[in-house]
Amino acid sequence: MRFFLRAAAIFVIAFVVMSSAHAQNAPFRVLAFWTTEGEVDHSDFARQAIEFFTEAAMRDHFEFRATTDWKEMNPETLAKTQVVVWLNGQPDTSEERAAFESYMGNGGGWMGTHVAGYNDSSTTWRWFVEFLGGAVFFANNWPPLPATLHVDDPSHPVVKGLPRNFVAPANEWYVWKPSARANPAVKVLVTLDPSNYPLGFKDRLLSGDCPLVWTNTKYRMLYLNMGHGDKVMSTPEIRTLFENSLLWLGRPWN
């Protein structure tokens, strides 16, 4: 009798382990939105990111598609999508924005990069500002320059495999005021290291806290400040960061 009980227990444990492994590797659908309008440097980044994610999809077994048609930001399409990526733009119409708000409110996943998170004092989409953790664009360096980045929480899956400090390729780094870090619901994962200051020539960043990668824990979302120019995806650290980010959003959370 004890043999059968032991065998049954082993079977149950094995089934749970196999089910958990299957869940972690189950395919998910990603839809990336981008635009050919706006700054050429942003479009250059978007094209390279699309190429990278297409390769990652084959490697990591998820479905990836990119579109310039923002009308696909609708309930029907979003219902079949586990992660939405904004590479260099945002939805413009009230219908598209409402669909996105509903999607995120019901557990959808979002990754935004660089200019996709841009907002300022003239922004009328107040929900989106709250969604970003209250962060409002304040300043940037110019021209785009490489910078040393600091990993705030090495234990987080998004920064798995990254050194505590590493140099990122040339980018236009955004400063936010208020900072997303001021929001208790926000978890900052990567920060501009203070050793970079002063950063820039025409426009200079001189001091202060500058979060670069964070999540508003009220949602399944992640914002990454990288996304200006054709050098962003050129280092293994940034490629690892982007791949980790998408997998963290797409697979079931622990």
Side-chain angles (χ1 to χ4, degrees):
M1 181 67 177
R2 282 181 294 179
F3 171 79
F4 289 111
L5 290 174
R6 189 181 304 114
I10 292 172
F11 174 79
V12 170
I13 292 171
F15 177 78
V16 169
V17 170
M18 291 173 63
S19 296
S20 176
H22 176 74
Q24 288 296 321
N25 293 288
F28 56 93
R29 293 188 180 92
V30 180
L31 179 57
F33 290 85
W34 69 295
T35 177
T36 56
E37 301 176 1
E39 291 190 41
V40 172
D41 283 335
H42 295 161
S43 298
D44 287 345
F45 160 75
R47 290 186 179 91
Q48 291 195 346
I50 290 168
E51 180 180 356
F52 172 76
F53 285 136
T54 300
E55 295 171 355
M58 293 185 287
R59 180 167 59 247
D60 298 317
H61 310 294
F62 61 87
E63 297 179 24
F64 177 81
R65 182 169 67 87
T67 181
T68 57
D69 183 5
W70 289 77
K71 291 185 178 65
E72 290 202 61
M73 191 78 64
N74 61 64
E76 293 73 26
T77 301
L78 294 180
K80 299 177 288 187
T81 304
Q82 281 70 55
V83 183
V84 168
V85 179
W86 297 355
L87 292 172
N88 65 335
Q90 301 176 355
D92 292 324
T93 71
S94 58
E95 293 80 9
E96 292 163 0
R97 291 178 174 183
F100 179 71
E101 290 181 27
S102 176
Y103 170 75
M104 294 307 304
N106 286 286
W110 177 83
M111 183 170 81
T113 62
H114 197 58
V115 74
Y118 181 86
N119 66 82
D120 56 29
S121 59
S122 66
T123 298
T124 58
W125 194 9
R126 303 312 302 171
W127 178 91
F128 184 70
V129 177
E130 181 277 329
F131 175 71
L132 274 185
V136 177
F137 173 82
F138 176 69
N140 61 275
N141 67 290
W142 195 262
L145 292 170
T148 299
L149 310 190
H150 175 75
V151 173
D152 291 57
D153 180 6
S155 67
H156 198 280
V158 165
V159 292
K160 181 181 179 181
L162 295 178
R164 195 65 188 267
N165 294 283
F166 62 95
V167 176
N171 188 59
E172 178 188 23
W173 306 101
Y174 290 169
V175 175
W176 309 84
K177 191 174 182 179
S179 166
R181 200 190 303 271
N183 187 329
V186 165
K187 183 174 183 61
V188 176
L189 302 177
V190 180
T191 303
L192 186 70
D193 193 86
S195 65
N196 292 288
Y197 300 129
L199 181 63
F201 296 100
K202 179 179 179 292
D203 297 312
R204 306 174 77 201
L205 303 180
L206 301 178
S207 63
D209 177 41
C210 184
L212 299 176
V213 180
W214 70 81
T215 178
N216 178 349
T217 59
K218 293 181 179 180
Y219 300 94
R220 190 156 62 95
M221 62 84 78
L222 194 71
Y223 174 75
L224 300 93
N225 192 190
M226 306 79 179
H228 188 104
D230 60 3
K231 303 294 192 297
V232 173
M233 304 300 296
S234 64
T235 65
E237 292 85 1
I238 294 298
R239 292 194 294 271
T240 295
L241 176 63
F242 272 72
E243 189 164 356
N244 285 352
S245 297
L246 202 53
L247 293 177
W248 179 68
L249 291 167
R251 290 177 176 166
W253 289 5
N254 294 324

